[in-house]
Amino acid sequence: MHYTRTDQRQDALTRLLRRGNRLTEQGKSASQRFSRWRLIIFLLGAAACIGLYQHAWFHSGNIALLIFLIIFLTTTWFHQQLKSRLHRLDHWMLIKQDLLARLQLDWASMNVQTHLAPPYHPYALDLDLTGPHSLLALLDTTFSSNGHARLQRWVFESNNPDSDTVSWHTRQRLIKELTPLSRLRDRCLLATRLISPDPLDGSRILSLLQQSITVPNLPLMVMCASILCALTIILGLWTLFTGASNFWLLPLLLYVGLYFSLSGSIAPLFGRVLALHLELEKLVTVIATLERSTFSKQPTIREQCQELFTEESRPTVCLKQLGRICHGLSVKAHPLVHLALNALIPWDLLYVGKLDRLMTQLKHILPTWLETIGQLDAASALARFAYVNPDYHWPQLETAPDLEHPPGITAQDIGHPLITRAHRISNNLDLRGEGHLTIVTGSNMSGKSTYLRTVGINICLAQAGGPVCATSCSWSWLQLYCCIRVTDALDEGLSYFYAEVKRLKVILDAVNAITSQPVLFLIDEIYRGTNNRERLAGSESFVQVLQKSRGLGMISTHDLELTRLAEANEHIRNAHFQESVEDGTLKFDYQLRSGPCPTTNALRIMAQEGLPVPEEQ
C-alpha cells in the first residue's frame, strides 16, 4: 500500500493526541495530589494553631498561622495554575481531535457549523456546499462571524473573481503562507475557545460604534457634574468640621437632578456595553497573538496585517482601553456599588465621556481591524484544510488563455474531497474550448453524477483559493452553473420537470450572456422528467445551442442515441462509465473511459431486486 503524505499527517496527529492523553492523565493525577496536600496542610495548620492557642502560646500560634496560611495559599496557587493548563490542554485536544476527524471525514466527530445557501444559487445545492456532510461543513473552522461570512462569500461567489477586496492570487498566497503555521492557527482558535465556545461576533462590537451617544453637550455635562460633586464634598466636609449650615445639600440636589435628567440618554448604553466584555476579550487575545508573530518569511500575511501593526493606534492598546471603559460602565450591574460610586463622583458620565472620545477614534479603524481578522480567519480555515490534505494540489490559474491553451480545465487524478480516501476513485479531466462539451453515458450507479459533482466542487475550491483534490490542475476562471440535483417545489406549484426546465433556462441565459469569463455547465440526466421521444428531441436541440455558445461542460444521459451528435461535430466528445458482472453481481470501477457506453444495467438491477423483467431472447 502506498504511504502518502496524508498518511504521515494522520500518524502525526494520532501521536499528538496520544501524548495529549498521557499529559492529561498525568495532570489529573497531579491535581488529585494537590487536593490531598491542601487538605493535609489545612488540617495540620488548624491542629497546630489550636494546640498553640490552647497553651496560651499566642505569638507562636500567630506565627504558625501565618506560615501555614502562606504554604496553603502557595499550594492553592500552583494548583490553580495546573487546572488552567489542564483546561487549556483539554481545548487543544478538542481542536486536534476535530482536525483528525476532518482528515478522516469522520462527520460525527466534527464540530460542524451551520450554513445556508443563497436562494436560487447556481450550484450550491447541486455540489453539496451546505448541510451536515457538505463542503462548507468540512472547511469551516473559523472562530469569528467575520471569518465565517468571508469563507461563505469565497465559496458562494466563486463565479465572480472580483467578489473580494483582495485579488485571487493574493488570497491564494495568503492561504499558502498560513498552511504550515499550524501553531499560529491553533493559538488564535484556542484563544477564543478558552473565553467562550461561541464565535467572536464583530457585529456586536460595531453596533456600539454605529449607534452614537445621544447625550447633549456631553463634555459640558461632565464638567458641570464634576464641579457639583466637588462642591458637595467640600461643603460637606466644611459642615462636618465647622458645624456650619448644610449648604452641601444645594449642589447635591442639583447633581441628582442633572443625573436623572441624563439617565434616559445613558441607560441604552449599558445593555450594549455589558454584552461586549467577552467579544472584546476574544478580539484582544487574537490580535495580541498576531502581534507576537513577526511573519518575516510570510510577506503576504505581513502586508494584510499592516493595519494591525501600526504604531500610531496599536489595536491591543485601544481595545484594552475600550474593555476597561466597558468594565467601568458595567458597574451598573451591582446596584449598591453603582449608587455609592455615583454619589461620590459622576462615575457614569465620566466613563460615557471616555467612551465617546474612544468611539470617535475607533469609528473608522475598528471595522478595518475586524475585516482583517475575518480575512485571516477565513484564509486560516482553507489553510487548515490544505494542512490536513498535504497530497492535494494547489491549482494554477491561467490568466491569459490562447489558442494552444483555450479556456477550460485540465486535471490529473481528480477526486471528490467529500468521499473518504478508501472509497475515492480518481479520474483525469481535459475540458477546454468554448462550445466544447462531453456527453457522459453509463449504467445506473456507475458514477456519472459523482463525476460531475467532482469537477464542480473542485472548481469551487480552486476559485475560492484552496487546494483541489487532484495531483495536478490548471484552469482558466469559469462561471459555474449546475443542473444536477433538481427537486420539485410544491410551495411554488412546480413539478419536477418544470423545475428542471427553469434550471436549464438559467444555464442557457448564462452561456449566451456577454461576460468576460466562459460558463462551465454540468447537467445530470438532462430532461429526465419527460418521455423518451421528447427527451431525446429536446436534448439534441439543447446540446446544439450549447455547442454554439460561450459555454463548455458536461452532460450526462441515459439516452445512448444522444451520443451520435459527436459523429458530426468535433466539439462534442463521448465518455462513459461501465460495469462488469462477477458471480452474478454488478461491479463498478468508476473509471471514465472514452466513447459511448456499450452496456446498460437497468434490467439486471430490477432482476436482482426481484422485479419482473422480460425474458432474454
Side-chain angles (χ1 to χ4, degrees):
M1 181 178 177
H2 182 57
Y3 195 70
T4 65
R5 290 188 299 163
T6 304
D7 294 316
Q8 295 173 2
R9 185 77 76 222
Q10 179 173 309
D11 291 346
L13 286 171
T14 304
R15 288 195 300 270
L16 277 175
L17 288 171
R18 283 201 296 264
R19 182 188 175 200
N21 286 325
R22 288 196 301 270
L23 291 174
T24 300
E25 292 301 321
Q26 294 171 4
K28 288 180 179 178
S29 299
S31 180
Q32 292 175 354
R33 289 195 295 272
F34 268 114
S35 297
R36 288 195 294 269
W37 275 110
R38 287 171 64 180
L39 179 61
I40 292 171
I41 292 168
F42 175 80
L43 294 175
L44 288 176
C49 292
I50 291 172
L52 291 172
Y53 286 139
Q54 284 180 342
H55 289 80
W57 295 343
F58 297 108
H59 291 294
S60 299
N62 291 337
I63 293 172
L65 177 63
L66 179 62
I67 292 173
F68 277 105
L69 183 61
I70 292 173
I71 294 173
F72 182 80
L73 292 177
T74 303
T75 306
T76 301
W77 184 83
F78 279 109
H79 193 188
Q80 291 301 322
Q81 291 293 109
L82 176 61
K83 285 183 176 180
S84 297
R85 291 181 180 179
L86 280 175
H87 181 61
R88 188 179 182 89
L89 179 60
D90 287 342
H91 280 278
W92 179 85
M93 290 277 288
L94 290 175
I95 291 173
K96 293 301 182 184
Q97 288 168 2
D98 182 69
L99 203 63
L100 182 60
R102 292 175 189 277
L103 186 152
Q104 298 173 336
L105 292 181
D106 180 6
W107 300 100
S109 302
M110 290 186 203
N111 181 23
V112 175
Q113 301 192 43
T114 303
H115 305 86
L116 295 175
Y120 308 109
H121 195 271
Y123 55 83
L125 180 65
D126 306 89
L127 302 180
D128 298 309
L129 299 189
T130 60
H133 297 172
S134 64
L135 178 65
L136 275 171
L138 180 63
L139 293 179
D140 195 354
T141 54
T142 56
F143 58 79
S144 69
S145 60
N146 293 75
H148 178 84
R150 178 66 70 93
L151 180 63
Q152 286 192 144
R153 186 162 74 243
W154 288 351
V155 172
F156 289 144
E157 300 180 20
S158 65
N159 278 354
N160 182 10
D162 302 319
S163 63
D164 200 33
T165 54
V166 298
S167 68
W168 179 88
H169 290 92
T170 302
R171 187 197 310 171
Q172 192 192 61
R173 287 197 302 271
L174 179 63
I175 297 168
K176 281 184 176 180
E177 290 180 1
L178 282 166
T179 298
L181 303 181
S182 59
R183 287 189 178 182
L184 176 68
R185 296 194 309 271
D186 290 347
R187 284 171 183 167
C188 290
L189 188 57
L190 184 62
T192 58
R193 294 272 180 88
L194 289 173
I195 298 169
S196 167
D198 299 322
L200 164 63
D201 192 349
S203 60
R204 298 175 72 177
I205 302 174
L206 289 177
S207 66
L208 180 66
L209 301 182
Q210 292 167 353
Q211 300 180 23
S212 59
I213 298 174
T214 57
V215 178
N217 300 315
L218 181 58
L220 179 61
M221 295 297 103
V222 172
M223 184 177 66
C224 291
S226 301
I227 293 173
L228 290 174
C229 280
L231 283 174
T232 301
I233 294 172
I234 292 171
L235 293 176
L237 292 173
W238 184 39
T239 300
L240 180 65
F241 289 110
T242 64
S245 299
N246 294 321
F247 293 114
W248 59 275
L249 289 174
L250 180 60
L252 177 61
L253 290 173
L254 291 173
Y255 171 64
V256 171
L258 178 64
Y259 178 82
F260 282 105
S261 67
L262 297 176
S263 60
S265 302
I266 298 174
L269 278 174
F270 294 113
R272 302 205 304 269
V273 163
L274 286 173
L276 286 182
H277 275 169
L278 292 179
E279 307 305 329
L280 287 174
E281 191 175 353
K282 293 177 201 172
L283 185 57
V284 168
T285 53
V286 169
I287 293 180
T289 302
L290 294 173
E291 286 181 346
R292 288 194 293 269
S293 304
T294 58
F295 301 118
S296 57
K297 298 180 180 180
Q298 295 84 24
T300 308
I301 300 178
R302 190 169 61 251
E303 178 186 354
Q304 296 302 312
C305 291
Q306 61 183 353
E307 293 290 344
L308 302 177
F309 300 153
T310 55
E311 294 294 336
E312 299 176 359
S313 53
R314 201 74 170 177
T316 48
V317 175
C318 295
L319 292 172
K320 285 179 181 179
Q321 185 181 354
L322 182 58
R324 287 192 294 269
I325 293 172
C326 291
H327 183 71
L329 287 171
S330 66
V331 171
K332 189 177 177 66
H334 308 281
L336 293 178
V337 177
H338 180 251
L339 181 63
L341 288 172
N342 279 279
L344 294 174
I345 57 174
W347 182 273
D348 289 349
L349 281 174
L350 286 172
Y351 274 92
V352 169
K354 291 180 180 180
L355 181 62
D356 184 51
R357 290 191 294 273
L358 189 58
M359 282 172 58
T360 303
Q361 178 183 349
L362 292 178
K363 187 165 291 186
H364 300 293
I365 194 168
L366 184 57
T368 303
W369 293 345
L370 289 171
E371 190 72 12
T372 301
I373 293 298
Q375 181 170 292
L376 289 173
D377 190 17
S380 293
L382 283 168
R384 191 172 282 109
F385 174 73
Y387 178 78
V388 298
N389 296 288
D391 292 316
Y392 284 13
H393 176 73
W394 291 101
Q396 180 181 356
L397 177 61
E398 301 164 359
T399 55
D402 51 33
L403 293 177
E404 293 184 2
H405 296 87
I409 176 172
T410 301
Q412 298 294 319
D413 298 321
I414 188 169
H416 201 301
L418 301 185
I419 298 176
T420 58
R421 288 185 296 149
H423 299 92
R424 182 189 302 149
I425 302 297
S426 300
N427 284 284
N428 296 333
L429 172 65
D430 186 15
L431 182 62
R432 290 189 175 275
E434 296 180 7
H436 285 68
L437 59 91
T438 301
I439 297 176
V440 182
T441 51
S443 304
N444 296 287
M445 303 184 299
S446 60
K448 300 187 301 297
S449 302
T450 300
Y451 182 64
L452 265 59
R453 289 194 178 98
T454 297
V455 174
I457 202 169
N458 278 288
I459 286 290
C460 187
L461 269 172
Q463 297 186 167
V468 296
C469 183
T471 56
S472 68
C473 180
S474 177
W475 98 110
S476 59
W477 202 278
L478 301 167
Q479 296 187 65
L480 183 60
Y481 283 81
C482 297
C483 183
I484 299 175
R485 180 177 285 120
V486 180
T487 58
D488 51 7
L490 297 179
D491 56 334
E492 299 179 19
L494 298 181
S495 67
Y496 174 89
F497 177 68
Y498 192 57
E500 181 186 13
V501 167
K502 289 176 70 70
R503 292 286 296 277
L504 292 175
K505 181 60 167 64
V506 170
I507 293 176
L508 191 62
D509 291 340
V511 298
N512 290 324
I514 301 175
T515 58
S516 56
Q517 295 90 24
V519 169
L520 173 66
F521 54 83
L522 302 170
I523 303 171
D524 186 35
E525 300 293 352
I526 185 171
Y527 291 136
R528 76 181 79 175
T530 188
N531 61 75
N532 292 344
R533 181 177 61 82
E534 292 181 311
R535 179 172 63 241
L536 179 59
S539 299
E540 289 179 346
S541 298
F542 195 77
V543 167
Q544 289 169 358
V545 172
L546 290 178
Q547 192 273 319
K548 298 174 183 177
S549 70
R550 291 204 61 208
L552 65 154
M554 291 186 287
I555 297 177
S556 74
T557 182
H558 279 295
D559 292 316
L560 297 179
E561 295 87 347
L562 197 61
T563 61
R564 291 198 300 265
L565 293 175
E567 298 173 2
N569 194 320
E570 61 180 6
H571 287 182
I572 300 175
R573 290 192 304 122
N574 284 317
H576 73 276
F577 293 92
Q578 68 180 41
E579 80 289 341
S580 59
V581 180
E582 297 179 11
D583 299 327
T585 304
L586 290 173
K587 300 291 184 180
F588 302 96
D589 60 9
Y590 305 110
Q591 294 292 335
L592 187 67
R593 297 172 172 86
S594 298
C597 182
T599 61
T600 59
N601 68 3
L603 293 178
R604 290 174 184 167
I605 294 175
M606 295 177 197
Q608 284 183 354
E609 294 302 317
L611 298 179
V613 296
E615 295 182 3
E616 294 185 7
Q617 300 298 324

